[in-house]
PDB file of all heavy atoms in Angstrom:
ATOM      1  N   GLY A 790     178.153 164.872 333.062  1.00 97.00           N
ATOM      2  CA  GLY A 790     177.247 164.398 334.210  1.00 97.00           C
ATOM      3  C   GLY A 790     176.808 165.518 335.003  1.00 97.00           C
ATOM      4  O   GLY A 790     175.684 165.467 335.586  1.00 97.00           O
ATOM      5  N   ALA A 791     177.687 166.473 335.233  1.00 98.00           N
ATOM      6  CA  ALA A 791     177.381 167.632 336.197  1.00 98.00           C
ATOM      7  C   ALA A 791     176.189 168.466 335.606  1.00 98.00           C
ATOM      8  O   ALA A 791     175.729 169.274 336.494  1.00 98.00           O
ATOM      9  CB  ALA A 791     178.551 168.514 336.394  1.00 98.00           C
ATOM     10  N   LEU A 792     175.977 168.392 334.382  1.00 98.00           N
ATOM     11  CA  LEU A 792     174.810 169.126 333.886  1.00 98.00           C
ATOM     12  C   LEU A 792     173.436 168.568 334.125  1.00 98.00           C
ATOM     13  O   LEU A 792     172.393 169.136 333.961  1.00 98.00           O
ATOM     14  CB  LEU A 792     174.906 169.115 332.277  1.00 98.00           C
ATOM     15  CG  LEU A 792     176.289 169.835 331.768  1.00 98.00           C
ATOM     16  CD1 LEU A 792     176.294 169.691 330.222  1.00 98.00           C
ATOM     17  CD2 LEU A 792     176.378 171.259 332.204  1.00 98.00           C
ATOM     18  N   PHE A 793     173.419 167.285 334.709  1.00 98.00           N
ATOM     19  CA  PHE A 793     172.141 166.730 334.918  1.00 98.00           C
ATOM     20  C   PHE A 793     171.834 166.472 336.482  1.00 98.00           C
ATOM     21  O   PHE A 793     172.756 166.384 337.254  1.00 98.00           O
ATOM     22  CB  PHE A 793     172.265 165.230 334.424  1.00 98.00           C
ATOM     23  CG  PHE A 793     172.319 165.217 332.899  1.00 98.00           C
ATOM     24  CD1 PHE A 793     173.534 165.405 332.195  1.00 98.00           C
ATOM     25  CD2 PHE A 793     171.309 165.026 332.132  1.00 98.00           C
ATOM     26  CE1 PHE A 793     173.635 165.444 330.808  1.00 98.00           C
ATOM     27  CE2 PHE A 793     171.200 164.991 330.720  1.00 98.00           C
ATOM     28  CZ  PHE A 793     172.509 165.106 330.118  1.00 98.00           C
ATOM     29  N   HIS A 794     170.612 166.420 336.767  1.00 97.00           N
ATOM     30  CA  HIS A 794     170.112 166.126 338.087  1.00 97.00           C
ATOM     31  C   HIS A 794     170.437 164.623 338.366  1.00 97.00           C
ATOM     32  O   HIS A 794     170.511 163.799 337.430  1.00 97.00           O
ATOM     33  CB  HIS A 794     168.625 166.328 338.242  1.00 97.00           C
ATOM     34  CG  HIS A 794     168.158 167.771 338.300  1.00 97.00           C
ATOM     35  ND1 HIS A 794     168.537 168.657 339.366  1.00 97.00           N
ATOM     36  CD2 HIS A 794     167.490 168.435 337.435  1.00 97.00           C
ATOM     37  CE1 HIS A 794     168.069 169.803 339.150  1.00 97.00           C
ATOM     38  NE2 HIS A 794     167.395 169.818 337.960  1.00 97.00           N
ATOM     39  N   GLU A 795     170.713 164.318 339.581  1.00 97.00           N
ATOM     40  CA  GLU A 795     171.127 163.024 339.906  1.00 97.00           C
ATOM     41  C   GLU A 795     170.197 161.889 339.366  1.00 97.00           C
ATOM     42  O   GLU A 795     170.611 160.840 338.921  1.00 97.00           O
ATOM     43  CB  GLU A 795     171.209 162.804 341.500  1.00 97.00           C
ATOM     44  CG  GLU A 795     172.095 161.684 341.871  1.00 97.00           C
ATOM     45  CD  GLU A 795     173.462 161.690 341.333  1.00 97.00           C
ATOM     46  OE1 GLU A 795     174.111 162.734 341.304  1.00 97.00           O
ATOM     47  OE2 GLU A 795     173.862 160.480 340.978  1.00 97.00           O
ATOM     48  N   ASP A 796     168.886 162.053 339.298  1.00 97.00           N
ATOM     49  CA  ASP A 796     167.954 161.189 338.858  1.00 97.00           C
ATOM     50  C   ASP A 796     167.527 161.336 337.312  1.00 97.00           C
ATOM     51  O   ASP A 796     166.426 160.847 336.953  1.00 97.00           O
ATOM     52  CB  ASP A 796     166.854 161.049 339.732  1.00 97.00           C
ATOM     53  CG  ASP A 796     165.912 162.367 339.789  1.00 97.00           C
ATOM     54  OD1 ASP A 796     166.474 163.402 339.373  1.00 97.00           O
ATOM     55  OD2 ASP A 796     164.836 162.446 340.303  1.00 97.00           O
ATOM     56  N   ALA A 797     168.193 162.124 336.528  1.00 98.00           N
ATOM     57  CA  ALA A 797     167.872 162.467 335.220  1.00 98.00           C
ATOM     58  C   ALA A 797     167.802 161.310 334.302  1.00 98.00           C
ATOM     59  O   ALA A 797     168.421 160.247 334.618  1.00 98.00           O
ATOM     60  CB  ALA A 797     168.867 163.580 334.630  1.00 98.00           C
ATOM     61  N   THR A 798     167.007 161.552 333.235  1.00 98.00           N
ATOM     62  CA  THR A 798     166.995 160.484 332.167  1.00 98.00           C
ATOM     63  C   THR A 798     167.615 161.028 330.859  1.00 98.00           C
ATOM     64  O   THR A 798     167.744 162.170 330.606  1.00 98.00           O
ATOM     65  CB  THR A 798     165.558 160.045 331.921  1.00 98.00           C
ATOM     66  OG1 THR A 798     164.858 161.177 331.398  1.00 98.00           O
ATOM     67  CG2 THR A 798     164.809 159.519 333.110  1.00 98.00           C
ATOM     68  N   PHE A 799     168.102 160.034 330.122  1.00 98.00           N
ATOM     69  CA  PHE A 799     168.807 160.472 328.842  1.00 98.00           C
ATOM     70  C   PHE A 799     168.418 159.232 327.852  1.00 98.00           C
ATOM     71  O   PHE A 799     168.641 158.096 328.098  1.00 98.00           O
ATOM     72  CB  PHE A 799     170.258 160.351 329.051  1.00 98.00           C
ATOM     73  CG  PHE A 799     171.208 161.029 327.874  1.00 98.00           C
ATOM     74  CD1 PHE A 799     171.768 162.190 328.102  1.00 98.00           C
ATOM     75  CD2 PHE A 799     171.273 160.425 326.740  1.00 98.00           C
ATOM     76  CE1 PHE A 799     172.447 162.815 327.112  1.00 98.00           C
ATOM     77  CE2 PHE A 799     171.977 161.057 325.679  1.00 98.00           C
ATOM     78  CZ  PHE A 799     172.616 162.110 325.810  1.00 98.00           C
ATOM     79  N   VAL A 800     167.951 159.795 326.671  1.00 97.00           N
ATOM     80  CA  VAL A 800     167.723 158.942 325.516  1.00 97.00           C
ATOM     81  C   VAL A 800     168.623 159.423 324.351  1.00 97.00           C
ATOM     82  O   VAL A 800     168.548 160.448 323.917  1.00 97.00           O
ATOM     83  CB  VAL A 800     166.275 158.996 325.059  1.00 97.00           C
ATOM     84  CG1 VAL A 800     166.032 158.022 323.876  1.00 97.00           C
ATOM     85  CG2 VAL A 800     165.189 158.692 326.151  1.00 97.00           C
ATOM     86  N   ASN A 801     169.600 158.377 324.019  1.00 94.00           N
ATOM     87  CA  ASN A 801     170.499 158.854 322.919  1.00 94.00           C
ATOM     88  C   ASN A 801     169.886 158.849 321.637  1.00 94.00           C
ATOM     89  O   ASN A 801     168.730 158.326 321.520  1.00 94.00           O
ATOM     90  CB  ASN A 801     171.845 158.035 323.060  1.00 94.00           C
ATOM     91  CG  ASN A 801     171.674 156.693 322.616  1.00 94.00           C
ATOM     92  OD1 ASN A 801     170.830 156.119 322.082  1.00 94.00           O
ATOM     93  ND2 ASN A 801     172.821 155.844 322.832  1.00 94.00           N
ATOM     94  N   ARG A 802     170.534 159.117 320.449  1.00 91.00           N
ATOM     95  CA  ARG A 802     170.034 159.146 319.161  1.00 91.00           C
ATOM     96  C   ARG A 802     169.679 157.698 318.646  1.00 91.00           C
ATOM     97  O   ARG A 802     169.086 157.634 317.581  1.00 91.00           O
ATOM     98  CB  ARG A 802     170.945 159.949 318.198  1.00 91.00           C
ATOM     99  CG  ARG A 802     172.228 159.251 317.967  1.00 91.00           C
ATOM    100  CD  ARG A 802     173.184 160.198 317.233  1.00 91.00           C
ATOM    101  NE  ARG A 802     174.359 159.535 316.748  1.00 91.00           N
ATOM    102  CZ  ARG A 802     174.443 159.071 315.513  1.00 91.00           C
ATOM    103  NH1 ARG A 802     173.498 159.257 314.612  1.00 91.00           N
ATOM    104  NH2 ARG A 802     175.666 158.580 315.169  1.00 91.00           N
ATOM    105  N   PHE A 803     170.000 156.693 319.293  1.00 90.00           N
ATOM    106  CA  PHE A 803     169.677 155.282 318.961  1.00 90.00           C
ATOM    107  C   PHE A 803     168.671 154.726 319.730  1.00 90.00           C
ATOM    108  O   PHE A 803     168.297 153.534 319.701  1.00 90.00           O
ATOM    109  CB  PHE A 803     171.003 154.388 319.047  1.00 90.00           C
ATOM    110  CG  PHE A 803     172.118 154.931 318.183  1.00 90.00           C
ATOM    111  CD1 PHE A 803     173.328 155.604 318.764  1.00 90.00           C
ATOM    112  CD2 PHE A 803     172.051 154.869 316.833  1.00 90.00           C
ATOM    113  CE1 PHE A 803     174.256 155.972 318.077  1.00 90.00           C
ATOM    114  CE2 PHE A 803     173.055 155.278 316.013  1.00 90.00           C
ATOM    115  CZ  PHE A 803     174.125 155.843 316.625  1.00 90.00           C
ATOM    116  N   GLY A 804     168.040 155.515 320.645  1.00 91.00           N
ATOM    117  CA  GLY A 804     166.920 155.208 321.455  1.00 91.00           C
ATOM    118  C   GLY A 804     167.338 154.308 322.701  1.00 91.00           C
ATOM    119  O   GLY A 804     166.492 153.804 323.369  1.00 91.00           O
ATOM    120  N   HIS A 805     168.562 154.459 323.118  1.00 95.00           N
ATOM    121  CA  HIS A 805     168.958 153.871 324.392  1.00 95.00           C
ATOM    122  C   HIS A 805     168.643 154.778 325.570  1.00 95.00           C
ATOM    123  O   HIS A 805     169.058 155.869 325.522  1.00 95.00           O
ATOM    124  CB  HIS A 805     170.513 153.604 324.240  1.00 95.00           C
ATOM    125  CG  HIS A 805     171.137 152.951 325.463  1.00 95.00           C
ATOM    126  ND1 HIS A 805     172.464 152.725 325.626  1.00 95.00           N
ATOM    127  CD2 HIS A 805     170.540 152.261 326.486  1.00 95.00           C
ATOM    128  CE1 HIS A 805     172.706 152.095 326.791  1.00 95.00           C
ATOM    129  NE2 HIS A 805     171.453 151.813 327.289  1.00 95.00           N
ATOM    130  N   TYR A 806     167.766 154.251 326.518  1.00 97.00           N
ATOM    131  CA  TYR A 806     167.360 155.054 327.684  1.00 97.00           C
ATOM    132  C   TYR A 806     168.158 154.562 328.889  1.00 97.00           C
ATOM    133  O   TYR A 806     168.402 153.394 329.087  1.00 97.00           O
ATOM    134  CB  TYR A 806     165.902 154.709 327.844  1.00 97.00           C
ATOM    135  CG  TYR A 806     165.303 155.105 329.129  1.00 97.00           C
ATOM    136  CD1 TYR A 806     164.675 156.326 329.277  1.00 97.00           C
ATOM    137  CD2 TYR A 806     165.395 154.309 330.217  1.00 97.00           C
ATOM    138  CE1 TYR A 806     164.172 156.768 330.511  1.00 97.00           C
ATOM    139  CE2 TYR A 806     164.840 154.662 331.478  1.00 97.00           C
ATOM    140  CZ  TYR A 806     164.111 155.897 331.629  1.00 97.00           C
ATOM    141  OH  TYR A 806     163.674 156.377 332.738  1.00 97.00           O
ATOM    142  N   VAL A 807     168.638 155.659 329.541  1.00 97.00           N
ATOM    143  CA  VAL A 807     169.297 155.298 330.781  1.00 97.00           C
ATOM    144  C   VAL A 807     168.686 156.435 331.918  1.00 97.00           C
ATOM    145  O   VAL A 807     168.218 157.435 331.489  1.00 97.00           O
ATOM    146  CB  VAL A 807     170.824 155.438 330.819  1.00 97.00           C
ATOM    147  CG1 VAL A 807     171.328 154.340 329.938  1.00 97.00           C
ATOM    148  CG2 VAL A 807     171.388 156.826 330.394  1.00 97.00           C
ATOM    149  N   ARG A 808     168.867 155.960 333.160  1.00 98.00           N
ATOM    150  CA  ARG A 808     168.464 156.991 334.325  1.00 98.00           C
ATOM    151  C   ARG A 808     169.516 157.023 335.243  1.00 98.00           C
ATOM    152  O   ARG A 808     170.094 156.142 335.666  1.00 98.00           O
ATOM    153  CB  ARG A 808     167.173 156.356 334.931  1.00 98.00           C
ATOM    154  CG  ARG A 808     166.653 157.198 336.036  1.00 98.00           C
ATOM    155  CD  ARG A 808     165.384 156.550 336.610  1.00 98.00           C
ATOM    156  NE  ARG A 808     164.690 157.720 337.350  1.00 98.00           N
ATOM    157  CZ  ARG A 808     163.612 158.383 336.830  1.00 98.00           C
ATOM    158  NH1 ARG A 808     163.193 158.250 335.720  1.00 98.00           N
ATOM    159  NH2 ARG A 808     163.203 159.395 337.640  1.00 98.00           N
ATOM    160  N   GLY A 809     169.826 158.300 335.656  1.00 98.00           N
ATOM    161  CA  GLY A 809     170.747 158.626 336.657  1.00 98.00           C
ATOM    162  C   GLY A 809     172.051 159.023 336.053  1.00 98.00           C
ATOM    163  O   GLY A 809     172.499 158.599 335.007  1.00 98.00           O
ATOM    164  N   VAL A 810     172.758 159.940 336.777  1.00 98.00           N
ATOM    165  CA  VAL A 810     174.009 160.524 336.284  1.00 98.00           C
ATOM    166  C   VAL A 810     174.993 159.342 336.005  1.00 98.00           C
ATOM    167  O   VAL A 810     175.701 159.405 335.041  1.00 98.00           O
ATOM    168  CB  VAL A 810     174.505 161.585 337.280  1.00 98.00           C
ATOM    169  CG1 VAL A 810     175.899 162.039 336.848  1.00 98.00           C
ATOM    170  CG2 VAL A 810     173.635 162.833 337.232  1.00 98.00           C
ATOM    171  N   ALA A 811     175.177 158.471 336.970  1.00 98.00           N
ATOM    172  CA  ALA A 811     176.128 157.399 336.755  1.00 98.00           C
ATOM    173  C   ALA A 811     175.907 156.620 335.429  1.00 98.00           C
ATOM    174  O   ALA A 811     176.870 156.402 334.671  1.00 98.00           O
ATOM    175  CB  ALA A 811     176.159 156.488 337.968  1.00 98.00           C
ATOM    176  N   ALA A 812     174.653 156.315 335.186  1.00 98.00           N
ATOM    177  CA  ALA A 812     174.336 155.747 333.999  1.00 98.00           C
ATOM    178  C   ALA A 812     174.628 156.467 332.703  1.00 98.00           C
ATOM    179  O   ALA A 812     175.003 155.981 331.701  1.00 98.00           O
ATOM    180  CB  ALA A 812     172.898 155.195 333.970  1.00 98.00           C
ATOM    181  N   ILE A 813     174.328 157.805 332.786  1.00 98.00           N
ATOM    182  CA  ILE A 813     174.636 158.864 331.684  1.00 98.00           C
ATOM    183  C   ILE A 813     176.164 158.821 331.427  1.00 98.00           C
ATOM    184  O   ILE A 813     176.582 158.651 330.289  1.00 98.00           O
ATOM    185  CB  ILE A 813     174.024 160.253 332.048  1.00 98.00           C
ATOM    186  CG1 ILE A 813     172.466 160.084 332.035  1.00 98.00           C
ATOM    187  CG2 ILE A 813     174.485 161.180 330.949  1.00 98.00           C
ATOM    188  CD1 ILE A 813     171.877 161.345 332.621  1.00 98.00           C
ATOM    189  N   ILE A 814     176.888 158.909 332.371  1.00 97.00           N
ATOM    190  CA  ILE A 814     178.303 158.830 332.360  1.00 97.00           C
ATOM    191  C   ILE A 814     178.817 157.530 331.813  1.00 97.00           C
ATOM    192  O   ILE A 814     179.590 157.453 330.859  1.00 97.00           O
ATOM    193  CB  ILE A 814     179.053 159.144 333.663  1.00 97.00           C
ATOM    194  CG1 ILE A 814     178.680 160.656 333.995  1.00 97.00           C
ATOM    195  CG2 ILE A 814     180.571 158.959 333.534  1.00 97.00           C
ATOM    196  CD1 ILE A 814     179.296 161.010 335.455  1.00 97.00           C
TER     197      ILE A 814
END
Side-chain angles (χ1 to χ4, degrees):
L792 301 176
F793 293 84
H794 288 293
E795 198 57 42
D796 62 344
T798 60
F799 193 108
V800 179
N801 74 7
R802 67 189 190 98
F803 302 107
H805 183 186
Y806 167 91
V807 296
R808 182 179 196 96
V810 169
I813 293 168
I814 292 170

